[in-house]
Amino acid sequence: MENNWNCSGPLGFFDMLPLELKFLIFTYLPVVELSCLTITSKSLRNYVELYRNTERAQKYLIPYPVSHSALPDTDQQQKFYDQFRKCGLLLKRSTCLYATKDRLNLVQGFAQKYLCSFNQVCHNPFHCAALKCYGIFLHTVIAGWDDKECIRAFEIISQTTVMIRHLETIVRYKAGAFSELEIHVRIFFRRVFLNQCQSKPEKAFWLNLIMKSFPMVHQARILFLLYGPVCDSNHSSSNF
């Protein structure tokens, strides 16, 4: 029997499937394999990009809400963080041909949903998992970027979160004058930029970006803020 099916599209028979059926197939693929699809062809990348922006995909990529408190056990924590690492890899691969500005906009759009805002949503920033998830996701996406692109990423994130402005406020006054803000700034820079570093030169790079606009005396204060001991009525620790 002569086959009259038209499979002349760039994806062959896959092109013949309805869009909803394509998306359904994507839900059965592990996130890492889904990210591999995006670098096989432009057509598949476009389909994965369409799928990634659907409500179904958001539930599949992050199948549980981000916790603004400590996760119950170590195994669950690791699975949770691994999922954000895989999501970062998906975004990294699917946007590899995009301009840096466009990639950063997508990073911000995705991560903003999970960024801890230190308000009514987050009651205990010491044990909040959301910022670490954001840091893991961000560092996965920007891995391999050149210094200029990383600087651009830092500037955009700092402007969006106004953390550098908070830091300027802190160093203008005596230590402890804004104790809650000091904790928030410390946790943000540690979990988003510094704790994810794999080497000392990488950590030095991010520390330089945080401190370079401040005079030397303020830089010493910032280093103590970021890495000095922490004491309050509920906590005495420097490991967060």
Side-chain angles (χ1 to χ4, degrees):
M1 182 187 298
E2 183 180 356
N3 190 345
N4 294 321
W5 288 2
N6 180 12
C7 57
S8 59
L11 298 178
F13 288 111
F14 191 74
D15 267 334
M16 300 176 60
L17 299 177
L19 189 61
E20 279 298 313
L21 187 53
K22 291 185 178 76
F23 288 173
L24 181 61
I25 292 172
F26 290 158
T27 62
Y28 287 94
L29 293 177
V31 179
V32 173
E33 293 185 12
L34 195 62
S35 71
C36 289
L37 281 182
T38 65
I39 55 177
T40 58
S41 75
K42 182 178 179 180
S43 298
L44 268 177
R45 185 202 68 190
N46 292 340
Y47 279 128
V48 174
E49 279 287 272
L50 284 173
Y51 168 71
R52 188 176 57 80
N53 292 314
T54 63
E55 184 177 349
R56 173 189 289 177
Q58 294 299 318
K59 293 179 179 178
Y60 164 62
L61 295 175
I62 308 294
Y64 24 67
V66 175
S67 173
H68 284 272
S69 59
L71 296 173
D73 58 70
T74 304
D75 290 340
Q76 184 177 349
Q77 288 179 26
Q78 194 56 50
K79 290 179 181 177
F80 198 70
Y81 299 147
D82 285 345
Q83 187 70 6
F84 271 84
R85 189 172 288 106
K86 293 172 184 176
C87 288
L89 186 60
L90 172 61
L91 187 65
K92 180 182 182 67
R93 288 175 171 172
S94 65
T95 61
C96 62
L97 299 179
Y98 288 22
T100 301
K101 180 180 178 181
D102 295 332
R103 299 179 85 180
L104 287 173
N105 286 337
L106 290 172
V107 169
Q108 282 293 88
F110 181 87
Q112 197 67 33
K113 302 172 186 177
Y114 312 107
L115 180 61
C116 179
S117 56
F118 298 121
N119 53 24
Q120 295 86 358
V121 175
C122 184
H123 301 290
N124 190 345
F126 284 94
H127 298 293
C128 181
L131 269 183
K132 184 172 181 179
C133 292
Y134 182 31
I136 290 171
F137 176 84
L138 173 67
H139 279 259
T140 303
V141 174
I142 67 175
W145 287 18
D146 63 33
D147 289 353
K148 290 182 178 179
E149 291 176 314
C150 290
I151 291 171
R152 180 61 177 154
F154 177 82
E155 289 174 346
I156 289 178
I157 294 170
S158 297
Q159 290 170 5
T160 303
T161 59
V162 299
M163 281 297 163
I164 292 295
R165 190 181 305 171
H166 290 333
L167 200 52
E168 291 171 349
T169 300
I170 289 170
V171 298
R172 284 201 303 266
Y173 296 87
K174 291 183 178 180
F178 298 94
S179 57
E180 185 174 347
L181 187 60
E182 289 175 358
I183 291 295
H184 292 170
V185 169
R186 173 191 173 103
I187 292 175
F188 178 85
F189 283 121
R190 288 278 296 267
R191 294 181 182 173
V192 174
F193 292 108
L194 300 172
N195 288 0
Q196 309 306 324
C197 296
Q198 301 299 313
S199 65
K200 290 182 179 179
E202 184 183 358
K203 184 170 291 189
F205 172 81
W206 294 110
L207 278 171
N208 177 62
L209 292 181
I210 294 169
M211 300 190 300
K212 68 177 183 179
S213 61
F214 295 89
M216 186 68 69
V217 62
H218 288 167
Q219 290 182 12
R221 171 89 177 274
I222 292 169
L223 276 176
F224 186 81
L225 173 69
L226 294 174
Y227 288 104
V230 174
C231 282
D232 67 8
S233 58
N234 300 312
H235 301 86
S236 178
S237 173
S238 59
N239 186 28
F240 60 85

